[in-house]
Amino acid sequence: MTRSMKGLVKALALGLAAACSLAAVSGATAEELSLKGKRIGVSAIGTDHYWDLMAFKGIQDRVKELGGEVIALDAGRKDQQQIAQLQTLIAQKPDAIIEQLGNLEVLNPWLQKIRDAGIPLFTVDTATPHAINNTTSNNYNIGAEIALQMVADMGGKGNVLVFNGFYSVPVCKIRYDQLKYVLTSFPNVKIVEPELRDVIPNTVQSAYSNVTDMLTKSPEKGSIGAVWACWDVPQIGATQAVEAAGRNEVKTYGIDGSPEVIKMVMDPKSSAGAVAAQQPYEIGKTSVDNVAKYLAGQKVPPFTFVPAVLINKENAAEKGKPFLEAAEKAGVK
Amino acid sequence: MSATVLHAEVGVSDEKQAAAKSAGRRFGALVVRLGAIAAFAAIMAYFVIFAPGFTSTFNLINVVEQSAILGVLAYGMTAVIIGGGSDVTEGGIDLSIAANMGLCAAVYATLLSMGYGDFLSVLAAVAVGMAVGALNALAVVGLGILPLLATLAVLNVAAGMELTLTQNTVVGASSPLLGVLVSGSSLGISALAWALIVFSAIMIVLVHGTSFGLRLYAVGGHPEAARAAGIGVPFYVSFTYMLSGFCAAVASILTVSRLSASTPGSGELLLSVLAAALLGTVFSRRFVPTMGGTLLSVLFIGLLANGFQLLNVSSYWVNGVQGALILLVVAITSFARGSEGSR
């Protein structure tokens, strides 16, 4: 490293430290946030998965902490119900609405109606032009990191089974597109066509049988190198299938960081290769802070990223622990 | 006492007893029916007083809109129950109706996204819906399979075909017809709400205002008597399954308009559809399904979810309370019908 570069690094580090202290300052003002006398509507497509439940809980807890009233709506994975709930919610005229996940194609016209009704709209993990702010993980990063980890573990060559059933969910689109982008640099890593479809419900069972079928179809060891999914519930089924078939050369990759999957990655014998662990509870809370700031007249950026951590075989013991502790603290699973 | 004497004695007292019994039964049924209706009214009154914004025109039109899809499906189910008889195990029932709607929606959305126009796509959806209905009719009327089992099998066929077609994905769709359904309105009432109003009027007139409807009730209530009177029972029963398929197709177009897409998971609606058709019987004097009763119970189910949300009762309670109410009403209904049956 040349001297000037060292200087540059130093300057960057200093800048970073300054940014951190700045973040600490803004953290202090965050404590003065209030939602007293405000009603906040929260609509989630479903809460049957760890991530969804944690984020939903984080939103509700934070609204109550800040003294607001929360109208919490869980659509139970039914699009019809979510639309009906949003329609009634618009009529209720809350001070703001937070929308968490769902099919963007279905939601967008209704998110537009929320804005038309003059209600500030915030989203969790849902990138849409209608939202004032989307609080989420940096899915561009997550998508690239998990793809790179997979390519590295595969030694830069081999075939990948990819679950691509939820391209209509924005975060899955980003992660999938990032995977494809990373693979453009590694032409020897190939996605097996046709791609697999992950489903809800019965995600684990369906992923298990899909992967089992594919392994049966390609019986020679090494013909499949990895399984990728844009979230980690299919990864559970995939990992179980790989282990049941005795094909330990296949590693699985996913995103979210459900406690179950983190434990799998921590287990050196498990075929779970890596998982990008997000902080859904923090994401939910941060979204509410953004609402409070906005309602207090402060400026809010179009998106807020809450850090995620790539947990792989090497760092699992150390990096996985805080996530398991957070899950325990929130009393989920 | 010899058997003949006993027989004669029973014969003499039979008419008196029957008259007294039927009067008592009628009174009991009336009490049960009015009790159920009073319970509905009490819940509504509670919402009117305590749920903020419940009675606003905007909110009520919202509920009508939200009920349109369920309503159209429930009419199909009601027609099948009327024509097949309301015996829960052996009578008419169409378990495939919600899955059929999912399939029709998938066909409609897929054809639209492939660039076929509204006319052809709607036609195809209706054809598919009625073909599934014809399959039900073939299984029930032609092969004599219990409707409960026949339509359960067809449910799986329809759900499987939908999955094959869409690969379990969301198929986005837009068209002029969908545009009208989404944003059109007339006299302050949205197009979707109009769809329910018009469809309700047609169904009520068809079933309760024509001799065709009268014969349909005869077929369901007393198939032997209907046959003896020269009514073509198989035709009427087949017709109800085809009508149910048609309703599924109409509902599928409403669904695609509301969700701007066909989405997986339509089958989930089945329970609400059944609930609406069964709950509706309390609005009839003889505990039989009627189109008007079905409309009232569809609106009741919609108002229930709406009222809970306005009261800020956790959405988790909605399903539970809805289920409990259904159980209650079905229980008293079958109790009342049971006493009627054991004459």
Side-chain angles (χ1 to χ4, degrees):
Chain A
M1 202 181 280
T2 64
R3 196 162 283 173
S4 68
M5 261 187 90
K6 263 188 193 158
L8 186 69
V9 169
K10 236 182 217 169
L12 272 176
L14 268 175
L16 202 69
C20 283
S21 61
L22 215 71
V25 169
S26 75
T29 58
E31 274 165 33
E32 292 149 23
L33 290 171
S34 168
L35 284 173
K36 273 217 173 64
K38 305 284 187 200
R39 285 196 313 157
I40 311 299
V42 185
S43 161
I45 179 68
T47 55
D48 41 352
H49 303 300
Y50 174 78
W51 198 104
D52 305 359
L53 186 55
M54 288 291 274
F56 195 53
K57 214 162 150 353
I59 295 170
Q60 294 181 63
D61 288 355
R62 188 63 179 157
V63 172
K64 285 176 199 155
E65 250 173 59
L66 296 181
E69 188 196 341
V70 57
I71 307 170
L73 304 164
D74 173 358
R77 279 293 150 208
K78 285 173 270 191
D79 294 308
Q80 294 280 3
Q81 194 167 336
Q82 189 176 25
I83 295 309
Q85 287 175 342
L86 282 177
Q87 190 177 27
T88 304
L89 194 56
I90 293 171
Q92 289 177 277
K93 294 199 169 40
D95 294 290
I97 292 177
I98 301 177
E99 199 284 324
Q100 176 187 321
L101 288 167
N103 289 314
L104 206 53
E105 223 152 350
V106 174
L107 283 170
N108 259 337
W110 293 90
L111 301 183
Q112 172 75 54
K113 282 183 193 177
I114 292 174
R115 295 308 299 274
D116 291 347
I119 302 168
L121 172 71
F122 292 75
T123 52
V124 162
D125 224 19
T126 308
T128 160
H130 305 303
I132 292 165
N133 167 280
N134 176 30
T135 302
T136 177
S137 300
N138 185 341
N139 286 292
Y140 304 93
N141 253 350
I142 289 182
E145 278 188 25
I146 200 85
L148 286 166
Q149 177 75 50
M150 182 185 81
V151 170
D153 291 351
M154 292 170 77
K157 60 175 192 296
N159 296 319
V160 188
L161 299 178
V162 168
F163 282 96
N164 187 23
F166 293 104
Y167 197 73
S168 62
V169 177
V171 290
C172 279
K173 176 187 181 324
I174 297 169
R175 295 166 193 167
Y176 176 85
D177 289 346
Q178 288 296 90
L179 168 74
K180 286 280 222 187
Y181 185 62
V182 165
L183 292 190
T184 54
S185 314
F186 299 95
N188 292 330
V189 176
K190 293 197 173 69
I191 292 176
V192 177
E193 296 283 347
E195 291 168 340
L196 305 175
R197 301 261 172 226
D198 35 349
V199 296
I200 296 176
N202 296 326
T203 313
V204 175
Q205 295 90 318
S206 152
Y208 184 97
S209 62
N210 281 339
V211 170
T212 304
D213 291 348
M214 292 307 287
L215 292 176
T216 314
K217 227 171 110 183
S218 312
E220 6 15 294
K221 270 199 183 254
S223 55
I224 306 277
V227 184
W228 181 97
C230 82
W231 54 316
D232 63 4
V233 180
Q235 190 184 4
I236 297 173
T239 308
Q240 290 168 347
V242 167
E243 287 167 6
R247 297 281 291 272
N248 293 335
E249 82 278 12
V250 183
K251 296 281 179 278
T252 66
Y253 300 84
I255 290 148
D256 278 351
S258 309
E260 210 178 335
V261 178
I262 292 182
K263 282 180 199 155
M264 283 178 164
V265 178
M266 284 170 128
D267 176 4
K269 277 180 281 179
S270 164
S271 294
V275 64
Q278 307 187 60
Q279 305 189 62
Y281 190 81
E282 285 302 317
I283 288 176
K285 279 177 71 171
T286 308
S287 173
V288 175
D289 288 350
N290 281 327
V291 171
K293 281 180 196 160
Y294 179 84
L295 292 180
Q298 294 180 35
K299 228 176 136 66
V300 173
F303 55 83
T304 309
F305 287 153
V306 174
V309 174
L310 181 74
I311 299 177
N312 58 24
K313 285 291 188 209
E314 285 77 47
N315 69 13
E318 174 206 346
K319 296 258 171 90
K321 223 171 136 209
F323 283 92
L324 294 182
E325 282 165 5
E328 210 161 294
K329 210 173 109 199
V332 180
K333 267 191 199 163
Chain B
M1 207 188 282
S2 76
T4 39
V5 176
L6 180 71
H7 191 81
E9 271 178 358
V10 169
V12 170
S13 62
D14 208 27
E15 259 174 48
K16 267 191 207 162
Q17 259 184 18
K21 229 183 181 177
S22 100
R25 203 171 52 230
R26 232 177 283 149
F27 182 70
L30 186 73
V31 169
V32 167
R33 203 166 67 82
L34 292 182
I37 293 173
F40 280 16
I43 292 170
M44 287 305 120
Y46 187 85
F47 286 160
V48 167
I49 297 166
F50 295 105
F54 184 72
T55 49
S56 75
T57 322
F58 184 61
N59 185 57
L60 293 177
I61 291 177
N62 273 355
V63 174
V64 175
E65 244 182 62
Q66 289 160 12
S67 306
I69 294 158
L70 180 61
V72 171
L73 288 177
Y75 288 140
M77 182 69 87
T78 306
V80 169
I81 297 177
I82 291 172
S86 47
D87 185 304
V88 178
T89 44
E90 291 183 6
I93 194 165
D94 184 0
L95 296 181
S96 70
I97 189 165
N100 189 2
M101 178 190 80
L103 175 62
C104 294
V107 168
Y108 180 55
T110 306
L111 287 180
L112 279 183
S113 66
M114 285 165 70
Y116 294 96
D118 260 325
F119 180 74
L120 217 67
S121 306
V122 169
L123 210 65
V126 170
V128 167
M130 292 185 73
V132 171
L135 190 60
N136 279 323
L138 179 74
V140 171
V141 179
L143 304 176
I145 305 173
L146 270 185
L148 201 66
L149 298 177
T151 57
L152 184 67
V154 174
L155 180 168
N156 281 307
V157 173
M161 282 168 71
E162 184 196 342
L163 282 178
T164 314
L165 188 61
T166 66
Q167 296 292 310
N168 209 24
T169 57
V170 175
V171 182
S174 63
S175 78
L177 174 65
L178 293 175
V180 169
L181 281 171
V182 168
S183 51
S185 84
S186 168
L187 305 175
I189 295 172
S190 61
L192 203 59
W194 271 119
L196 180 64
I197 294 167
V198 171
F199 204 78
S200 301
I202 295 172
M203 294 307 273
I204 289 172
V205 168
L206 175 72
V207 173
H208 301 291
T210 64
S211 56
F212 177 86
L214 200 63
R215 286 196 286 270
L216 194 62
Y217 270 106
V219 166
H222 298 281
E224 290 83 9
R227 203 169 292 133
I231 299 174
V233 174
F235 167 77
Y236 277 83
V237 175
S238 303
F239 175 83
T240 60
Y241 285 101
M242 301 280 283
L243 180 64
S244 176
F246 177 73
C247 289
V250 172
S252 78
I253 289 155
L254 302 183
T255 289
V256 173
S257 83
R258 197 156 163 80
L259 302 182
S260 343
S262 107
T263 67
S266 305
E268 302 250 18
L269 262 174
L270 175 63
L271 213 61
S272 303
V273 174
L274 260 179
L278 292 175
L279 276 177
T281 57
V282 296
F283 294 107
S284 120
R285 217 170 290 164
R286 293 184 298 123
F287 285 111
V288 292
T290 58
M291 291 299 171
T294 299
L295 176 62
L296 286 176
S297 59
V298 163
L299 292 175
F300 176 74
I301 289 173
L303 289 167
L304 200 64
N306 178 258
F308 273 129
Q309 184 172 335
L310 294 178
L311 285 170
N312 205 2
V313 176
S314 161
S315 51
Y316 298 127
W317 281 93
V318 175
N319 287 338
V321 172
Q322 207 169 291
L325 275 172
I326 291 161
L327 196 64
L328 188 75
V329 171
V330 172
I332 47 183
T333 310
S334 46
F335 167 76
R337 210 186 278 132
S339 66
E340 207 172 312
S342 68
R343 56 185 107 175

